[in-house]
């Protein structure tokens, strides 16, 4: 069958997906070059905004395709979920993380081993944990400050119980010795 009519659109989707992955990869590598992935002084805000914008475009496009074909989205390769995780886990830009969470929660898709809704729920819990630890002076900041950031985030997935177990360490407010407390949650797949 002929693809002539959809070629420009398909090329746009492929180019957008490539740009999305390049941005996520670039920012992930850049975060490894600092002692803390949170220490970026807003250096990558423009790239994070672009990443979320591209993800939104691709998800909106995917939803149109779902309506036309009535197929649920499952793909073997990484497309949108992992790049959106870069926003929520690596850089923690508060407003963009909330937008990434909403994109994941409203788009039931599975990419490889990742379920977008489950990842969205995990990111929402992480955001809640970190934002409850904010001091009043930091409530209007764009990024989660180092002292409130969860560390050693671990996930385990129980396919029998159909739930994810997520844990992290969170700095204890006011601790002078760097004390951390363990936080844990069980998130159902559905």
């Amino acid at each position: 069958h002929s693809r002539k009519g959809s070629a420009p659109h398909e090329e746009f989707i492929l180019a957008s997906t490539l740009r999305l992955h390049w941005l996520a990869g670039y920012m992930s590598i850049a975060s490894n070059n600092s002692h803390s992935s949170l220490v970026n002084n807003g250096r990558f805000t423009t790239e994070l905004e672009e990443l979320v914008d591209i993800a939104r475009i691709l998800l909106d496009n995917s939803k149109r395709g779902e309506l036309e074909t009535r197929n649920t989205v499952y793909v073997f390769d990484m497309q949108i979920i992992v790049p959106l995780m870069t926003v929520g886990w690596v850089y923690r830009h508060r407003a963009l993380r909330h937008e990434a969470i909403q994109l994941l929660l409203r788009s039931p898709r599975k990419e490889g081993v990742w379920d977008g809704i489950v990842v969205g729920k995990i990111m929402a819990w992480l955001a809640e944990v970190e934002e409850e630890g904010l001091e009043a002076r930091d409530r209007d900041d764009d990024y989660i400050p180092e002292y409130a950031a969860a560390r050693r985030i671990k996930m385990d997935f129980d396919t029998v119980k159909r739930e994810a177990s997520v844990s992290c360490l969170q700095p204890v407010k006011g601790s002078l010795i760097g004390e951390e407390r363990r936080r844990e949650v069980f998130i159902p797949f559905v």
Side-chain angles (χ1 to χ4, degrees):
H1 91 289
S2 172
R3 296 177 135 207
K4 190 182 257 186
S6 66
H9 180 71
E10 187 174 323
E11 287 174 7
F12 171 77
I13 297 301
L14 293 172
S16 297
T17 303
L18 181 62
R19 177 69 178 169
L20 182 75
H21 284 270
W22 182 87
L23 285 166
Y26 172 75
M27 291 186 297
S28 294
I29 291 168
S31 74
N32 289 329
N33 290 331
S34 100
H35 70 281
S36 167
S37 61
L38 298 174
V39 180
N40 66 64
N41 299 319
R43 192 170 89 201
F44 294 110
T45 302
T46 302
E47 288 85 352
L48 292 169
E49 289 171 345
E50 183 180 356
L51 189 153
V52 172
D53 287 344
I54 292 170
R56 184 182 323 96
I57 290 166
L58 292 173
L59 284 170
D60 287 347
N61 188 319
S62 174
K63 285 188 182 290
R64 275 192 290 263
E66 288 172 40
L67 293 175
E68 292 168 10
T69 63
R70 301 194 186 278
N71 290 332
T72 57
V73 177
Y74 178 83
V75 294
F76 289 103
D77 60 336
M78 299 295 111
Q79 291 183 354
I80 296 168
I81 296 171
V82 172
L84 287 175
M85 289 168 66
T86 303
V87 177
W89 259 295
V90 179
Y91 283 93
R92 295 171 164 120
H93 183 286
R94 293 174 63 207
L96 292 173
R97 172 164 62 182
H98 286 287
E99 193 169 344
I101 290 166
Q102 291 309 308
L103 288 172
L104 290 166
L105 292 177
R106 72 173 196 228
S107 176
R109 59 187 301 113
K110 296 181 184 189
E111 299 175 0
V113 298
W114 296 107
D115 181 311
I117 291 178
V118 173
V119 169
K121 289 178 182 180
I122 292 169
M123 284 175 47
W125 176 77
L126 180 63
E128 181 182 316
V129 164
E130 291 180 335
E131 291 185 19
E132 78 184 20
L134 289 178
E135 295 176 2
R137 70 174 190 262
D138 297 320
R139 295 210 186 273
D140 293 329
D141 288 354
D142 289 338
Y143 290 88
I144 294 293
E146 183 75 27
Y147 72 81
R151 295 152 172 71
R152 296 190 196 140
I153 301 164
K154 296 182 180 178
M155 298 179 288
D156 188 34
F157 300 95
D158 186 331
T159 55
V160 174
K161 291 182 181 177
R162 300 195 40 78
E163 68 182 13
S165 167
V166 186
S167 66
C168 67
L169 296 178
Q170 183 180 32
V172 173
K173 277 187 188 178
S175 173
L176 300 175
I177 58 171
E179 189 179 358
E180 297 175 321
R181 70 180 175 138
R182 180 178 167 83
R183 304 289 302 267
E184 187 172 25
V185 68
F186 294 94
I187 295 175
F189 288 179
V190 186

